[in-house]
Structure formats: C-alpha cells, structure tokens
Amino acid sequence: MSLLKTPADPRLPFRQLRDASPGRETESGQGNEHEPACKDMRCIFTEEGLPTAEEAYNFFTLDFEPDPRGGAEKKGKEGAGRGRAAEEDGDDNDAAEEQEGAGGDSEDAPLVRDEEDDLFAVEQSSRDFLEVKKAEYVGHRERVQRESELLFTPSLRTAPTSIKLPKNMQPRYLEDEGLYVGERPPVSLTNENILENRFLKMEEGKKWFGDDGRIVALPDPIKESSTRPPLFHLEEDLDPALQPVYRKVRHTLSAPEGDYQLDVDVSGLIFSHHPLFSREHVLGSRLAQLYDQYLTRQGNNLTGHLTDKVSVAEDIHGGESLTQAMQQRISEYSLEVRTTRQLRDGEQEKDRTLLKNIVKVWKEIKALRDFQKFTNTPFKLYLRRENVDQASDEREHENQILAEVMETEAEMEEVHQRELADYKKHLEEWKLWRRKQKKGPSQDDTEEDEDEDQEASQSEGPVEEGPPKPDPPERPDIDSVEQRVREKASRIRRKPGESILVPELSAAGNVTASELCPRPEIARREDVSRRSLFAKILYNNKEVSRTDGRALNADFRVHFGQIFNLKILNCPQSINLQVFEEVGSSCSLLAQVFVPVPEPSVVTGIVPVEEYEFSSNQRVMFDHEGVGSDVPLSFEADGGNKQTLLTSGKLSCCVCWGSEEDGVPLAPPASQHPGGKHSGPGRLDAVTYIGASGLYDMKKIGEWATRSRLDPNDPKNASIMQLLKVASSGEVTAPDYFRLEQLQEEFNFVSDAELERSKRFRLLRLRQQEVAEFRNYKCVPALEREVTDKAFQEYEKRLKEGELVDTKEHLDSHRALVSKYLQKIRESVINRFVLAKHHYLLSDLVIEEEIPSIGGAGPGILGMNLFKLTEPKRPLKPQRKERKKVTAQNLSDGDIKLLINIMRAYDIPVRRPAVQGSDWLISQVRHTFAPLHMCFLGVLVFQVQVRPFVEVSFQRTVLQTTTADGPNPCWNEQLQLPFSAPNGDYSAAVLQSVKDEVFINIFDEVNDKDRGKSIHTRVEKHWLGSVKIPFSTIYSQSKIDGTFKVNTPAVLLGYSKERSHGANGGYDTLRTLSEGAFVTLFITIEPQLVPGESVREKVSRGRVRFDSQEEERLLQAAERFERDAARGHPDRPCVATVIDLNGKTVFVTRYIRPLNPPQELLDASPDDSQDALVARFVSLIPSLPDRVSFSGACDLWSTCDQFLTLLAGDEEEHAVLLCNYFLSMGKKAWLTIGTAIPEGPTAYVLTFEQGRYLIWNPSSGQFYGQYDTFCPLQTVGCLVAADNVWFNVQEYASPMTMSFDTTKANLWKPFFSRSFSHPGLSSVQPEQLVYRRADKVAAAELQDRIEKILKEKIMEWRPRHPTRWNRYCTTTLKQFLPKLEQSGGRDVSEGHRHELQGMLGDNRISGFPLHLPFSEIRPIVEAVHSTGVHNAHASNVEFALAVYVHPYPNNVLSVWVYLASLVRS
Amino acid sequence: AAMATSNPSVFLLTVNGQIEGANFPEYDNLYCKYCFVYGHDWAPTSGLEEGITQITCKGSQSSHKLIWNFPLETTFKSTNPSGWPQLVLSVYGPDVFGNDVVRGYGATHIPFTPGQHTRTVPMFVPEPTWRLQKFTSWLMGRRPEYTDPKVVAQGEGREVTRVRSQGFVTVSFHIITKDMKKLGYDTGPSSPANTAAAPSGWSAEEQPINMQ
C-alpha cells in the first residue's frame, strides 16, 4: 500500500514540486519506464488520476535528470529496489492510518493526515486501493537461475592445485623433501573438496592452503590406543587383592631383635609470633629477636676478628722485600687485605644498624606503653655506656683511616699503572696499523722508524679506518680518597671518643596486672590463659607418643621438658613433631617440625638441645587486643607500613640414639640408613636406568625401528633416530648386550645355571612335560632339600638304558629288540599326535542335544524328540536309558567300577566219577550199548554233576558268584570290581593304555567229605576254563554284551564234556560246529566313561590331516565313501584308508596281496589241515591292540613283513596276514571289517569254500560257518579285496542274515565302480615273505627259563606253605605236551588221562594244560596265577609243572604250560 | 613335633566362608553345586570338597537376590602354590517345563591373602551351536552343559565353546593360612588399611618418660 501525495502540498520542496508536474504530464512515458518495478507490487492505484506508489515515491526521491533512453533497464532495477522500500514505508503508514492520532515516525505521516479529510475519506474504501492477485508462481528453472545469482554451491570436485597456489608456483611437498609431516586427521575427500572450493571463493582464501596445495592441517591428535584402559567394576570396587599396592622398599634392620632406642627430648617452645600477641608483644618479640641477633653477633665477634685480620695483614704489607716471589705474595696479600677490609666494613655497618634498630624498637615499645597505659611485656632495655679514652680512640681511628687511605691510594695507583700499560700496548698496535696504511710495501725499514717517531709525536692524526687511537688514562684523583674514607667511617663506625653503647635486655619489668587493663586486653589475656599446647611425635608418619598439654603462658613460652625413649624396629625415615594448640576441647594443628634422623654416633647426653623454627600459615583474627595471624598490622598512626605476621616460633628439642649403661649406642649400623641407599630404588626404574647408562645395543634398536616403521621425520622419534645415526656412523662402539637384558637379570629370581641345578624345578618341569614317570606326581616337595635323587633314578635309568636291551624281562633277545622298536615307534607317533591331542572339539567340552534332523537316521530326529515330550515321567515299563557319559579326566580312585553281570553258561564240563576206570567203562558202554546208556547215564549224571561258580579277577581283586548246579548253570549275578588307573591318572589316554585284563574263570566247587568218616569238610575248587577280556576293550566299547566261548584247557583231568544227548536233537546239531563251553556276560564300566576319541576320528572331521602319497582324488573319494557310510549306517565300520606305521594315509586295498605262508609249515602237514595250521600260525603271533600300544592315538596298520618282524599287532594285522596266506593258497578270501564281541570294531577273514562261507577269527585261529550262532562276528561293515572295497548296504549286518555276494550292487556298494575305476594301485606288501627257520635250540632254552620262573612264582604265591614238586608227574606231563601241540589241542585227552591215571595210582590229580602264544613272560605268569592251582591248601599237596615251547618259523612260539596239583588220597 | 613346626614341609590353607547368594534376574528356585579344583601338589585334609545347596527362591519384599548362605569349610595342604584351589560353582534350576537345567557356571580362585574376602563370581552357560538347537533345547529342557563343571576352572579347550552371561553368585571367604611364610611365600595382607590395623612387627613402641 502506498500513499498518495499531492503536489499541492505546500511543504513539498520546491524541486520535487517542479519535478512532479512534468511527471504528470509525461505519465505514459513514466509508466512504461517503471513497469518492471511495478510487477512486484501487491497494490497499485488503478484510478486514472492517481499516481502509483512507485510514482509517488519517485515523486519525492527521484531526480529526473535528462536521461538517455538506454539507461532505462538499469533504472528499472533501481526502481525495483526502491519499490520494495516504499512498500515497507507504506506498511508503516498504513498502521499509522488505522490508529489515528498516533504520532507517526515516518516523515510521510503528517502528509497523509493533512490530506485525509479532503481527499478520500468519503468516496473511497480500502477495497479501492487494494487489488488481490494470485500468488505468483516462479518456475523452477527460473528460480534456480535466480538463486544461482544469490547462492553459491561449492563444487564437489577437486579444485586443481594451480588455483590454490599463488601464480607461477609449483606445489612443494614437504614430505618428499624429507621433512616430517604428520598424519592428517581423516576427512572425506568430498568434504575436503567442498571446503577447498569455499576457501577459493573467499577473499584471501589462499592463505588456507599450504605449499603442497592442500589445506593446512595439524597432525591427527587422536591416539589410537586409549591411554587408560577401562576398569570394570562388578558392583564393588576392584578386588583389593588385584589392586596394585605401592609398598615402599623396607630396609629391614639386619638384626631385628637388636634393641634400638631413639630418644626424643622435647624441651620447650617459644613463639616468635602468636595470634594472641598484643602489639606490645609483637614489638617485644621483635626486640627480643634483634637482641638475640645482637648477642649472637657479639658472641661471634666477627667485626673484631676481621679488624684483627686487617691489622695483621697490614703489618705484613708493610714489610719490604724485593724478590719476584715476594712481590707476587705482596700483591696477593694486598688483595686479601682489601677483601677483608670490605667484609669488616660490611659487618661494622650491620652492627651499627642492628644497634640502631634495637634502640628504635625499644623506643617504639616505650611509646606504645605510654600510649596504652599498661605494660604487657616484662622487657626492659638498658643501654650501658662504656666510656673510652678519647685521645687513644681518636688516634686509633685516625690510624685506621690513614691506613685505609694509603691502601686505597696504592690500589688506585696500581690500577692506573695497569691502565697505562694497556694504553701503551694499544697505541703500539694502532701505530703499526697506521704505518701499513700510509706506506706502500716499497718503503724502507729506516723510513718506517722515522715515521714511527713522527707518528708517536703526533697526538692526533687523521683516522680513516681500523682501531681508534687509544686515549691515555687519567690520573686518579688521590685527593678525594681521604674524603671518601672519612665519610664511610662516620657512617659505619661510632665517632671517635663516643662511648660504646652496650644494650642489655632484661625481662625483669613488671607487667601491668589484668584488673588495671582495659577490657580488650583482659579478653586477650583470658584467651591466652585458656590455651594449652602439646606436641605429638610421629615416627615414620605414625604417631608414637605425645607430650602432656601445657598451658600457654603470658610470655608465650611453653616448657615441656619430656624425653621419649622410642624402641624402634624399622629404619627411621622421618621424625616429625607436630605442635597442637588446644582451646577447650578442640585442638588444632599449629605447626609441624621435621627433625633430621640423627647419625648413629649421636648419642644421648652429648648433643645440646637444638632449636627448630617453625611457622604456620593459618589465618586468625580476634576482636580483642590479640593481633592475629596473617592479618595486616600497622604500628603507625596513619596505618601505613603494614606488616603481615604469621604464627611462628621455635621448638627446642633434641633427637638422638639412646645408649646402654656401658655407652654402646643403641643405633643401627650406618649402612642401614636409607640415606646411604639412594641409588637403590632408582636403579630399578628402567627408564632412568637406560637414560643414565647410555649403553645401547644399536642393532636391536635398529631392528626394532625398522620393524615398527618409525617415521624418521617425526619429532617424537628424533632422539632415537639420532642415536641410531650416531651408532651407524661408528662413533660409538656398541656393546654386545642390550640394556634391557641387563635389567632382566635383576628380575630373575636366580641365575639360569642355578635354576638348572635345582632338583625341585627339574621335577616340576618334567611333570609339566608329562614325562611318563612324573605325569601325575603328587605333592612336589616344597623345599629343594626334600627332593631326593631317588625321584629321578628311574627316569635317568630309562634315559641311560634306552639303548640297552633288557633280556631278563623278555627272555628272548629278539623280542626285546622288537619291543624296543615298538616303543620307539610309539614315542614318535605320540609326538606326532601331541598337537592333535590338545585339539578340543565342542563335544569334548559341551554336551548338547544333537542337531535335530527331520527324516534322517540317528537319535536326533525332531519328531521323535517331540513325541518324547508326551511320555509319562515315570513309565510303568521303563526303557533302558542311555547313561550320562563322564569324561575320565576328573575322576579319582574308587570312582570307577567295573560291573560284570554273569548270566549263564552252557556246556560246562562235568565231573567224572572218581571210581577208577569207571569213565572208561562208561565210554565203552556208551559206544556199544547206546540205548542202555541212556538210563544208566541218567543216574550217573544225577550223581556226579558239576557245581560251577564264576570267579572274576581284575587288578588282583577277586570276586565270585554263588555256586550253581549242573552243566548249564544260571547265575544272573552282578559283580562290582573297583578299578584304579595307574598313578591315579584318569585321563583318556592313560585309560586306553591300561593293559589289565578281566579274567572270568569258571570253577567247580568240590566238597571233599573224606568219605564221611569225619566232619571235616574241605572245599576245593577246580578250574574249568576262563574268558579274558582286556580292559581297553571294555573301555572303548563301553559295554560288552554277549555269549563267549570259554577257553577250556585241552585236557581237564577228572572232567568230561557230557552232552544231553538226544533230548533236543535239533538244537544239538546246530551246536556241532561249536565245541566247548560258553558263558553269557554283560560287562560295563560305571559310570560310563567317554572313550577317548582316536586321532582318526578327528581326522575324519577334518581337523588333522596326515601326509599321504595317494592321489588327492582318491583321498577325497575315500573320505566321501567313509562319510556316506557313516551317515547311512553309523553302526557299521567302514574303512577305505588306513594309516601306516609312518603315519601316512594309505588306501586299504594296497594291503591285500597273496603272500606265501612258511613252506616249512606247509610241508609239515597234510593238505586238508593246512588251512587250520596256517590259521594257528597266525593266531600264535601275539596280539597287542593298537589302542594299548599307541595310547589310543590312532589305529596303525603295519604291512605283513613289518608284522612278522614286530611279532605283535592287533586284529587287522592278523587278519591281513591270514587273508594274504589264504589268497596265496588259492582260496577266495576277503578281509572283513566289522564288529565282534568282545573286540569291538575288528577285522576278520571271510573265505568261500565248497559253496559256503567261512568266517575266520585270525586272533584265535578258529573258523565259523556263516550260520554259526556263536560266531563272534556280529556286524559286517565292509569287505576288502585287492581290487575293491564293498560297503554293506543290506538291511542286516549280522553274518547269519546277510548275503556275501558282492556282485549285487543293491547289497554291496563298491568303492571302485564304472564311474571311478581302480587306478591300478600297487601293493604296499612285499612280493614274498622270507622266513627264518624254526630255532629248536632257542626254544628249548626258553622252555627251561619259563619253567624256572614259573616254579619260583608259584612258591612265591604260597608263602605259608611248602611247595613240593612231584618229579615223576612232571616228566609224564612233559612228554604229553608235544602231543598236544601236534594235535592242535584236540582228541588226545582220553588216552592221556588214562595214561596219567595209570601212572599216578591213588593220587587225586587236578590240573590242565594252558596254551599261549609267546610274547613275554608276564602274560604267562598272569594266566597261571588266574587258574588258582596254587591255592590248593591240602597239607599233602604236590605240584607238577611242565612247560613246552614249540618253535614255528620266524620265531613264532607256542607255549604250553601244564600245571597240576596232586593230592594223595 | 617341635621339628615339624619349625621346618614345615607343607603349608595349610583353610577356607571358611559361605556361598551367600546369587543374582539371577530372570530365574528363580535355584540351587548351587560347588566343588574345588586344585593342582597336583594340593590335597584336601579336612572338610567337604563338594556340596550342593538347598533350593532357594526370591523373597517377596527383598531385592531380587537369591540367598543360600551355604557354608564352605575345607582345609587344603600343599607344597606348591601352583594350582591354587579354585572354587567352581554351577547353578541349576527348573525351566518353564520343570526340567532341571543349568543356569550358570563360574569359578574363582580362593583368595590368597588371609582375612575376609567377598567375591562376586560372574556366571555363564554354554550356548547351543545352532539356532534350531536353541529352540529344541529349550523345548526339551536339555540345554547344553559342560561335560564337567570343572572345565570352567581350566583354560585348555575353552576356545571351542561359546557362552552367554547369566548372573552373579556372591561368595564370602575367610582365609587362614599356615606356614606359608615359613616356606617363603608371603601373601600377607595387601591393602594398606589392613597393615595399619594389624599388629605388625613394624610399629614403634613407646615408653614416655616424664622429665618434669
């Protein structure tokens, strides 16, 4: 809105009025001109006769100069600007219009008001003035364009360096020049570009850029590591045990029991200022201080001393002498005299000033006392005049002055002379220079001389350059000297003839009594009397005692007079006396006085009490006369010259060492003082030590510097770089050691050599290394001396005798060697697997539910698990639950029990009637009269049954079942046998290597009732047979459940195998193949232990890989094959690759190759029994489970030649050898991998003969038909032949229910198929085996030795009974044994028994032959012990022992032991 | 006997104290099993090596603390401070379905210094390997558990496990040692406050004599 202005306004300036009329006349022209400006306006006058706002404005402001038409554009713009201004004006005026009468500020306002009434108040409304228009839309492009005029958008692009630098300048990179440039703080490039572009737009923007064209920036100040690691607080402060505690190094007194005594004598306290001082006290104490000072000075009499010295020196000076040395001395003396005189003058001046001050203060006190009209202090100063002899005094005075004057004159003269000499010298130089300037080089010497004189005469000459001509020194003003000396004398000395003033301060004055004093003073005195003081004595910052409180006297002196005897035990570090002031019940620390620790020689009685000054900065103010402390105080009337006094004073005390009666000081020796050990803790500080030592191993620092990539230009590293530079330049010879290592020695507890020598440390170290002898060593002795050498004996012996062969244990040097070799392999393999052993899997540590799988096999089926949820918590018919497994690592003795459930037995041999010859009769009868035999036998059987019981022995613990009746007894009893691991180590590795076996022996209990004559009943037990199961098998299987064949002796005297013939014929025929007795057992370990995982299993999980020479493709295929097998049938073992003795992975088919059995063996037997003989030969090779030999590390396969050399191996080796023999003998044979009882996963041999499959147990030499119920092989996993491996994918895995036809692809999955054909793997086996011939001599020798050892052992086991040997019987038995060997332990029993019975007549004999493969003596002894034959306690018992060793080729030995006991009946 | 006391070959460590309580914000009705784990050279001479507390539930008015106040009292003898006994705690309690599940494992060394100590032992449980297992283990009430709680007292093999924090158990100890100093092991009180309070051999005796 704008205002209408009328040209008729009389107040308009003339010029505008004049301009207006043309404006109106040329209206159209003007309108055009201002059109753009009008656009923005919201309101314009539309009425014809009225000017627009623009016009109105212009009417007032515009100067209508004659304007060329071309400027119209520009004017338009101006108009726009003004138009806006006008609009604003209009707004103002509009407001003014509405509030009528209000005085408008605008200059236009009055105009409007004036016109209002006449012009448009009636005809026109506001509508007429306004035009409503639509909001104007400005197009985007236009707006952008318009904005671009106003706004600046910095570019994101990098500005070229050339713009950023001054013109014609190349960028300069400081870093390239080798200068240090720190790392810039990280800024994103775009941001940096924006900032740069902004700077470039600015004026002087270039100053922001550095020489390299980048923005100037400081190095990144952020440290990468936090300087202070965060502390974690769990609800409370950090564990105090973990908090670092600073403990000062204690200097223990060497003899702590020694009595050290420190005497502290606190005698008293004098305040030199106290807040309760009155003004008079302040002055008084000042006077006292000055007087003290005076007295001290007087006592020292320094002035007199110096005066004497001066006079003496003058005397010497006076002496005449001429020598050079004397001259020198004289000059020294005179110098000394001068200094002494100056000192004396100073002292004299001080004396005089002091005296003056004393007098002045005294005058002030007097003035104060007069002023306040009472006396507070008892001080009185007397000035004593000492009259002196006027004449002599004056003379002396004059002499002194004269002497001084003379001396000063002499001194001045001397100075003058020296200056003169200087002057001459300078003059010479100057002349020389002058001559050189003036004369050319051609001049003669003579002329020079003349010139010299000439020049010398000239006092002045034109000086152009060079040294100025020196001025001659002035003569000293001698006359003024005397004047000066006299002035000085009058200032510092008393006037001659004046009497000497001697001040004397006495405290004899009277203090005005309190009642005569004004009130403030009384208040002050009362305050003083209320106060008392005491002192605490702090020894090493601990309060040890305090003085009694003493009241503060009016003279501000406190007397304690107490001596404290401190008995001390630790080194004195500080002695501190704290002065406390007590007002009423509150007390405050006034001051602390630190007293130095006395020297050991300072003893009570010889040291005076010393005064220690103290002061305190506490501020005290009073409203009474007390002046307070730390408060400005003035003594002058106008309040000027203010002083601030602090509480201060002197404590007199004395600290010294006590002494005994005989004068021996009770002080620690001097070396114990901490003062003498200042370097102690400092040396431990690495940094200061390094700094001080200056010894460097430059090479190491250099290495470190390069490794840590120190920036050589970083100022922080300057010192180290400098150091390295110096070192590399060879200026410093670097020592061979690094400075920190030297320091390291100080941190070592003992030297390395000493550590090496320590037996205890060695024990600890060996235990840590898990050396077998020390693996579980308990309670290493606490002290070195308690470790005996005995502890190491065994270990050292082993180390030393590692190479020697112990033939005693092995009885056979070859086997001893083999066992050594095996030991070595074991060690190397174990070392190889040490790493793998320490690999843990999650399942080793955490038990969790298996990953639920839908539709897969295994226990983790989700649906099954969910179904379980609905199960009742306590079902009526509970199912056997899987027991929780326990890792063996945290068990201890007695925790593990072996549970053996003996259920039943079949076909136990029954007793033969004791009637001589009756058994023979029976057999005859049986053969001839079969029908009759039935009823006859029935009676006999009823009479002579067998009463078997089972005895289980394990680790020499023996338990037995109750006795049952008959040959097919049922016990169903559970026996618990404790198990203890060697050395109490229950780790899985150790448990696996436990070699103990569980012997399950079946005995017959015989009650010998002595024909009824007496009541004496003797119970005898007769061994019938045994089953032995190694603990390692139980451990790895975790449970053993099945029926086992009882190992019955080939001959059992007095027993026969009786069968219930005919009764159940069908079953009988089934059993024809399996002779002998059987026992059903269930064995497990309680709690169930987690069997140690073999390395192989870890291998299969991809944790450990073995080296291999097989192709990668084959290995992968094998891995896949095994994995698939394990997924499909987890209970069927599958083997595709095995690990050989070198720890390399080998494909299993390489082991199968036809190999020749020993020819000797084949020759010895007819064709039809060759198979059995070969199997027997193989079974005679001792069995040694790999789990035992390699601590469960893994299952290693040796080749047949290795196996025959080692003469030890587990089932796989046996099976491979047997299979290879059969192949060479032209049979169809396969290696069968499966599980059997009791061995667990094992290897058997399958042969196909005459249309039926036979399963051979290679460890026992037995064979079973496919449909044999008692075949130990329970599952068949896979078959291995030389050319392929087949995995059993049939429904069943038991041999009885499956087909062995490997050609059927739906039953057997071959490894090599058409898609992956056999690559022609060569065998690892040798082409043929070479055998050593059987050595009969060695066998005979061994036979004798075994016999001897066994006899000794049996006698040893019967310590309380005599052991008699029946030689006759022994001979008979010995003859019999080879026959047993020849027949393979069959078919000779009948005849043999008759023979024996005939020979022994009425002796009752019980005994049996044992047959064992030979490995070492221990198993033989164990087996003999387990039969319990030695337990016969009859008084007339005799024993017979026969041993027979039959040699087979290649040192395979078959051992027979025939043990019998004879009782004469 | 005199010889034995002057030249001891073993030192004794008596641990008295109690498992005071726990702070498991989310769980209730918990009980705690404890056992000690120690090195080869240590042997307990008296007291119980392991135990199990009563089941406790949170009080209504008190804070969310579970209180057991279960006493510990064991004496060990040893020749070597290596393998210093650790107290291993494992806390169990029922889950929503009433299955007993583990709520936390934790271990702390028995304090070295004689005197009274309080330890707050952070507790943790192993995590299931897979998400699905997490669900099924929750459903079945068979959470992952350590094969043996004692593994939390050792370092070997722990790298294969993943655990989650669960709460805290507070244990207070009163430790008495015998003959440690004689064997050369100084575990004396570490905090200076104790030093001042204890009548140590380093204080000065006073015998004031009044001279007046």
Side-chain angles (χ1 to χ4, degrees), chain A residues 780 838 845 847-849 890, chain B residues 79 129 133 145 148 156-157:
Chain A
V780 172
H838 283 270
L845 288 172
I847 310 167
E848 63 179 337
E849 288 281 281
N890 290 302
Chain B
T79 55
T129 321
Q133 263 172 314
E145 287 183 26
D148 185 344
E156 201 177 36

Side-chain angles (χ1 to χ4, degrees), chain A residues 349-471:
Chain A
E349 192 170 0
K350 273 182 200 160
D351 278 354
R352 209 169 159 74
T353 331
L354 191 61
L355 199 58
K356 275 182 184 165
N357 281 342
I358 289 173
V359 174
K360 186 180 159 224
V361 170
W362 173 237
K363 277 178 182 158
E364 277 175 3
I365 287 177
K366 279 203 286 191
L368 190 65
R369 281 177 182 168
D370 285 347
F371 172 74
Q372 66 192 16
K373 306 229 168 45
F374 60 86
T375 315
N376 248 347
T377 49
F379 292 121
K380 265 189 175 171
L381 188 77
Y382 301 101
L383 284 173
R384 194 153 48 78
R385 263 172 223 279
E386 278 180 18
N387 286 328
V388 287
D389 178 19
Q390 176 97 22
S392 67
D393 197 36
E394 259 180 38
R395 197 165 53 242
E396 200 180 311
H397 185 76
E398 206 58 32
N399 281 346
Q400 277 187 9
I401 287 181
L402 277 178
E404 201 178 332
V405 166
M406 265 170 66
E407 197 191 271
T408 319
E409 276 174 7
E411 187 193 329
M412 286 165 91
E413 182 62 34
E414 200 183 307
V415 171
H416 177 69
Q417 288 302 327
R418 213 166 40 234
E419 280 175 354
L420 212 60
D422 263 9
Y423 161 72
K424 278 183 179 158
K425 205 169 124 222
H426 282 119
L427 197 67
E428 286 294 306
E429 280 171 10
W430 179 74
K431 277 179 188 165
L432 208 66
W433 172 77
R434 270 292 285 240
R435 249 196 324 272
K436 271 184 190 156
Q437 290 284 318
K438 279 198 170 174
K439 306 279 167 7
S442 59
Q443 274 177 330
D444 291 341
D445 287 347
T446 47
E447 277 178 284
E448 257 178 60
D449 285 343
E450 282 165 24
D451 272 353
E452 201 176 341
D453 292 337
Q454 219 176 351
E455 293 280 336
S457 61
Q458 281 176 347
S459 60
E460 262 182 274
V463 181
E464 291 160 24
E465 271 176 47
K469 191 171 175 248
D471 297 321

Side-chain angles (χ1 to χ4, degrees), chain A residues 26 28-34 66-75:
Chain A
T26 57
S28 58
Q30 285 287 337
N32 287 341
E33 203 179 326
H34 292 264
D67 201 22
R69 218 48 207 173
E73 187 80 16
K74 195 181 156 199
K75 225 172 230 169

Side-chain angles (χ1 to χ4, degrees), chain A residues 264-268 577 595 608-612 651-655:
Chain A
V264 182
D265 178 355
V266 187
S267 64
L577 298 174
V595 183
V609 172
E610 282 182 73
E611 290 189 328
Y612 298 95
L651 180 78
S652 48
C653 70
C654 162
V655 177

Side-chain angles (χ1 to χ4, degrees), chain A residues 245 247 250 544-545 548 550 561 563 565 569-570 767 779-780 838 840 844-849 851 890, chain B residues 40-41 79 129-130 133 139 142 144-148 156-157 160 189-190 201-202 206 209-212:
Chain A
V245 175
R247 229 189 258 187
R250 268 183 185 145
V544 290
S545 66
D548 301 333
R550 294 287 148 84
I563 294 176
N565 299 339
L569 288 167
N570 56 340
R767 183 173 72 180
C779 288
V780 172
H838 283 270
Y840 282 82
D844 298 337
L845 288 172
V846 176
I847 310 167
E848 63 179 337
E849 288 281 281
I851 308 162
N890 290 302
Chain B
H40 288 300
D41 300 324
T79 55
T129 321
W130 307 100
Q133 263 172 314
L139 204 59
R142 292 187 64 175
E145 287 183 26
Y146 281 121
T147 51
D148 185 344
E156 201 177 36
V160 299
S190 58
W202 296 111
E206 53 159 317
I209 297 167
N210 201 329
M211 296 300 283
Q212 271 188 332

Side-chain angles (χ1 to χ4, degrees), chain A residues 4-5 7 23-31 44-53 55-56 124 128-129:
Chain A
L4 176 76
K5 285 141 193 127
R24 289 194 85 154
E25 283 156 13
T26 57
E27 202 183 297
S28 58
Q30 285 287 337
I44 49 162
F45 289 92
T46 46
E47 242 174 274
E48 267 298 281
L50 291 169
T52 63
E55 284 167 331
Q124 290 167 331
D128 298 323
F129 299 99

Side-chain angles (χ1 to χ4, degrees), chain A residues 141-199:
Chain A
R141 191 172 298 168
E142 198 185 342
R143 200 175 73 225
V144 167
Q145 201 187 341
R146 221 185 286 166
E147 275 173 356
S148 71
E149 289 166 12
L150 296 166
L151 303 179
F152 161 66
T153 313
S155 162
L156 296 179
R157 268 167 295 177
T158 320
T161 321
S162 50
I163 331 174
K164 293 187 272 187
L165 290 173
K167 272 180 191 150
N168 301 327
M169 211 167 113
Q170 284 295 314
R172 190 180 149 205
Y173 297 102
L174 292 177
E175 198 163 10
D176 291 351
E177 290 174 28
L179 290 169
Y180 173 69
V181 180
E183 242 174 76
R184 288 160 167 269
V187 178
S188 81
L189 190 66
T190 20
N191 283 352
E192 204 178 326
N193 289 337
I194 289 170
L195 189 66
E196 282 185 359
N197 285 316
R198 235 177 243 156
F199 282 148

